[in-house]
Amino acid sequence: MGAGALCTGVSQLRDPYLDIRYRTSMSSVGAYDRKLGSLQSLSAIFDEVAKGEKDSGVLEKAMNELFKEIQNINGHPGRDEYNNIVRGEAEKVVNWFRDYAEQLETLQKEQEALYKQDIDRVNTILTSIRDLNEQIKKENIHGGDALELKDERNLLIDELSKYVRIDVIYEEEDVGAGYMVDKLVIKLDGNDPKSGNDGATLIDGHGNFGSIDGDG
């Protein structure tokens, strides 16, 4: 009596349902963010909202001018000056198409570079999770809770969910003498109709992991 509170241990409490809901939502958010960024880059090239002022709506303006001159030449057949005007307006349209094509080619290269960076980041995350699994297992075998390591691993799993839809499974692994420790398994979400994957295993405890490549 009168000795105050006694701390007998520290544990980590997470709701598996909330984890699943959060990580599934994050995968959708990550996909839509990337799509939005791509569409914004495209809109910066094809800015056709205005009517030809300040590089906006320039293609529409050029096309309208070309159609107008084509109508004029129909009323003056055989007049070289009208033919030359039509050629000039057509050349403007072609030049704008050529300029857009060059910008699209540059944008495509930038998007491919970003895609490769995402792949490298995913594989780095998978490696880090695999390494943390090994450290956590060693801590558990020696009686430790490894809560800080688990927190770090959870942050990486949350980040991974932004790139791909995953299924996180916690199992028990027998390490001998009837002693059980937690084992983390991460698979691609086979229920995702857009991915077309078959639930391939990315992380299986602290062993080898499946990497993501450019075709995955």
Side-chain angles (χ1 to χ4, degrees):
M1 296 294 293
L6 178 63
C7 180
T8 59
V10 180
S11 61
Q12 183 184 79
L13 180 63
R14 293 180 68 92
D15 189 320
Y17 173 76
L18 293 179
D19 279 345
I20 293 173
R21 293 294 301 169
Y22 172 78
R23 289 163 181 164
T24 301
S25 298
M26 287 306 299
S27 66
S28 298
V29 171
Y32 285 124
D33 281 345
R34 180 49 58 85
K35 289 179 181 178
L36 177 61
S38 300
L39 291 174
Q40 288 175 336
S41 298
L42 286 173
S43 67
I45 297 174
F46 296 104
D47 190 352
E48 293 298 311
V49 177
K51 298 299 181 181
E53 300 87 5
K54 297 181 179 180
D55 295 334
S56 299
V58 289
L59 180 59
E60 180 183 2
K61 181 179 179 181
M63 293 291 292
N64 289 336
E65 291 294 332
L66 175 61
F67 294 149
K68 184 178 71 174
E69 296 304 331
I70 290 176
Q71 292 175 351
N72 288 337
I73 199 175
N74 289 333
H76 304 82
R79 299 285 295 273
D80 290 340
E81 59 269 26
Y82 287 97
N83 291 338
N84 292 333
I85 293 175
V86 171
R87 291 192 186 96
E89 295 300 333
E91 185 177 356
K92 292 179 182 179
V93 173
V94 171
N95 287 337
W96 278 115
F97 274 116
R98 183 182 295 112
D99 181 66
Y100 285 156
E102 293 174 354
Q103 293 184 60
L104 287 175
E105 184 177 0
T106 300
L107 178 60
Q108 179 182 0
K109 293 179 180 178
E110 292 175 351
Q111 293 297 319
E112 290 175 351
L114 289 174
Y115 181 57
K116 292 178 181 179
Q117 290 179 9
D118 288 345
I119 294 174
D120 293 339
R121 180 55 187 164
V122 168
N123 288 327
T124 298
I125 293 173
L126 291 174
T127 302
S128 299
I129 293 175
R130 190 270 314 273
D131 295 341
L132 284 169
N133 283 346
E134 184 174 3
Q135 297 178 49
I136 291 171
K137 179 180 179 180
K138 291 179 179 179
E139 286 282 334
N140 291 158
I141 291 175
H142 291 88
D145 295 321
L147 297 182
E148 292 184 359
L149 295 175
K150 290 181 179 179
D151 287 339
E152 183 179 352
R153 183 177 66 181
N154 285 328
L155 290 175
L156 289 172
I157 295 174
D158 291 342
E159 183 182 354
L160 178 64
S161 68
K162 298 178 183 179
Y163 295 98
V164 290
R165 280 186 57 169
I166 54 177
D167 186 14
V168 182
I169 304 169
Y170 294 94
E171 301 176 346
E172 288 191 334
E173 181 181 5
D174 188 352
V175 293
Y179 189 72
M180 309 295 290
V181 297
D182 291 336
K183 176 183 177 181
L184 175 71
V185 178
I186 299 178
K187 297 182 178 182
L188 292 175
D189 187 358
N191 295 321
D192 182 7
K194 297 181 181 180
S195 67
N197 69 75
D198 56 354
T201 300
L202 298 178
I203 293 286
D204 187 6
H206 64 281
N208 294 329
F209 66 92
S211 62
I212 302 292
D213 56 33
D215 299 324

